[in-house]
Amino acid sequence: MLVDRVRELGQTITERPREYAALGVNALRAAWNAGAFHPIRPDRAGRLLFPIARFGLTPATAGAMAALRYPDRTAVIDERGELTFAELEHRAAALAIALRERLGEGQRLGILCRNHRGFIEAALAGSRLGHDVVFLNTDFSAKQLSAVLGRERIGALVLDEEFDALLDDASFAGERVTAWHDGSARNATIDDLVAATEPEPLVAERAGRVIILTSGTTGTPKGAQHDLSIGAVIPAALTHLVRVPLRSGEPIVIGPPLFHVLGLAYLMSGLALGLPVVLHRKFEAKQTLDAIARHRAGALITVPVMLQRILEVPPSARPNTSSLRVVVSGGAALHTGLSQAFMDAFGEVLHNVYGATETGWATISTSEDLRAAPGTVGRPSLGLTLKILKPGGGEAATGETGEIFVGGGLKFAGYTGGGGKEIRDGLTSTGDLGHLDDEGRLFIDGRADDMIISGGENIFPSEVEELLEEHDGVAEVAVVGADDEKFGQRLVAHVVRSGGDSGEVTEDQLKAYVKEHLARYKVPRDIFFVDELPRTTTGKIKHRALKD
């Protein structure tokens, strides 16, 4: 297996020499700064590639290699304290042996945990065994969980104690292991199993897949599975090192849930580069800023609503976060006003990543991109093809909106329940609409299924949302379509007022504001003022809930 992996890497570089040469000195410098060439003891160097042969391209491999490279370095910091990479690897290895007795052939391991060490230990342990690991959304209802657990053939579940009652309602009869509890746990705990189990050498018969579930905001959550290869991972990793300057050994604070593709990607980056990963079970803006200051963190991973909450912390209450060099936002649209306000407050540290659960990240924008072209999600990663395709076929012209298709990166292997995304010319649809500018930078115009046709005119809600959020009287806004007998559909805006000094903004004022800046047909017919917008745990607005 190891020979095959090395041969694959060599073939990848040989087939695309120009792309790799293009990275050149910049990639080497970025990799050096990030600590990719961190020295390793000679007695461990020969063993460094063994995890790839044993487990394939899985979380288990990342954890095992990190333990070889940085055994005494802090790997995880959470509310329970710290774990080194060697301690994390030992616990994962022991947990894997204990879980082996709880998983039948062909069964999958489910993980229903918030952000803490237990999530990581379970992910590393499950993939050591060669079983598929399914990351479950902590925001799911009992009905959604019941459907997913059955469809995904979950034989054992690692969960936080707070979700036991939810699992009862979902009628889950499989094995349960408690990852986090306050007081006494009704199930065996990870700590119990690790203490009672001696690790054994394992060689997985197959490389277990990581299955990430869609948000479920438009129906039953789907399980997205991928085929990983060195040829796909290396280009993405090199591009990331060039554009997002992470540094080995520098703590990274991860705000989004680890079951989300954004949180998981940076957890894997942390393992690969030896970054101490700082986690909290629930996001709180002030707590996050305090953690950055206390641990002198160099990087923060967020979704846009987290950036908004951080900005709401009064400047006088913010600790010294001068160690922060990189802030990554992803998972939802980053509106122009928010990105500019954040950089004005915290400096030129912001990066925006764009991708989908099915395709992984596709583009990355730097702070320079966000200043030069506000609203952009950046340029494609090395080795990835991105095209804007028109509904009738063919590529859209520069500046013309079409559907975004990508290929050559993370290979989407279809949904676990069957079906997949639309594929055209070997490229996979992201489900989003967008356009490219003259510099090849991508802009997202909205979801393909969110476009509203009112009186024969095509309207993208995101354009109206972004404008309204620039109004001093608006804190947050979501725009959806409603059925209309005369026009087919009409725009409806749900607004959270900012409560500014000028008093509460009115419906007439906001309509006049939109009319002043956009075409008349883009003015919302109805505006409702709400205390808060319904969101998923990953910060996405639940548009279906607003429509209902």
Side-chain angles (χ1 to χ4, degrees), residues 1-11 49-50 52-53 230:
M1 290 177 65
L2 179 58
V3 173
D4 293 338
R5 304 283 182 187
V6 174
R7 184 181 295 117
E8 179 190 353
L9 175 59
Q11 183 178 1
L49 293 179
F50 286 177
I52 300 179
I230 290 179

Side-chain angles (χ1 to χ4, degrees), residues 68-248:
L68 286 170
R69 298 186 71 196
Y70 323 102
D72 301 321
R73 184 181 292 180
T74 298
V76 184
I77 304 171
D78 63 10
E79 285 108 322
R80 289 184 59 185
E82 300 182 5
L83 281 178
T84 66
F85 281 100
E87 290 170 335
L88 178 63
E89 173 67 1
H90 172 82
R91 289 176 62 85
L95 181 60
I97 300 302
L99 289 174
R100 183 173 59 182
E101 308 302 321
R102 290 166 165 79
L103 283 168
E105 185 177 353
Q107 290 185 329
R108 291 169 172 154
L109 176 69
I111 301 178
L112 183 61
C113 298
R114 298 197 185 275
N115 284 13
H116 54 74
R117 65 184 63 189
F119 183 106
I120 304 174
E121 291 165 351
L124 300 186
S127 54
R128 289 177 80 90
L129 294 171
H131 286 264
D132 294 343
V133 179
V134 182
F135 297 140
L136 298 164
N137 191 323
T138 58
D139 201 34
F140 284 167
S141 66
K143 182 178 180 181
Q144 288 177 310
L145 273 176
S146 180
V148 169
L149 293 171
R151 186 192 67 213
E152 301 298 335
R153 307 189 308 278
I154 304 297
L157 188 62
V158 178
L159 74 160
D160 292 347
E161 180 188 41
E162 64 180 291
F163 302 117
D164 264 320
L166 186 66
L167 263 292
D168 292 340
D169 293 340
S171 301
F172 178 67
E175 295 276 353
R176 302 186 193 186
V177 175
T178 297
W180 188 284
H181 64 93
D182 297 308
S184 59
R186 82 185 215 189
N187 314 307
T189 69
I190 288 180
D191 288 340
D192 294 336
L193 297 180
V194 168
T197 308
E198 189 66 28
E200 299 174 12
L202 286 172
V203 177
E205 294 183 1
R206 59 183 287 272
R209 279 176 167 164
V210 167
I211 297 174
I212 301 173
L213 297 172
T214 60
S215 62
T217 55
T218 58
T220 301
K222 300 175 183 178
Q225 51 190 352
H226 305 90
D227 289 330
L228 293 179
S229 68
I230 290 179
V233 171
I234 293 296
L238 290 176
T239 305
H240 191 274
L241 285 175
V242 170
R243 299 184 191 172
V244 184
L246 300 177
R247 290 179 182 169
S248 181

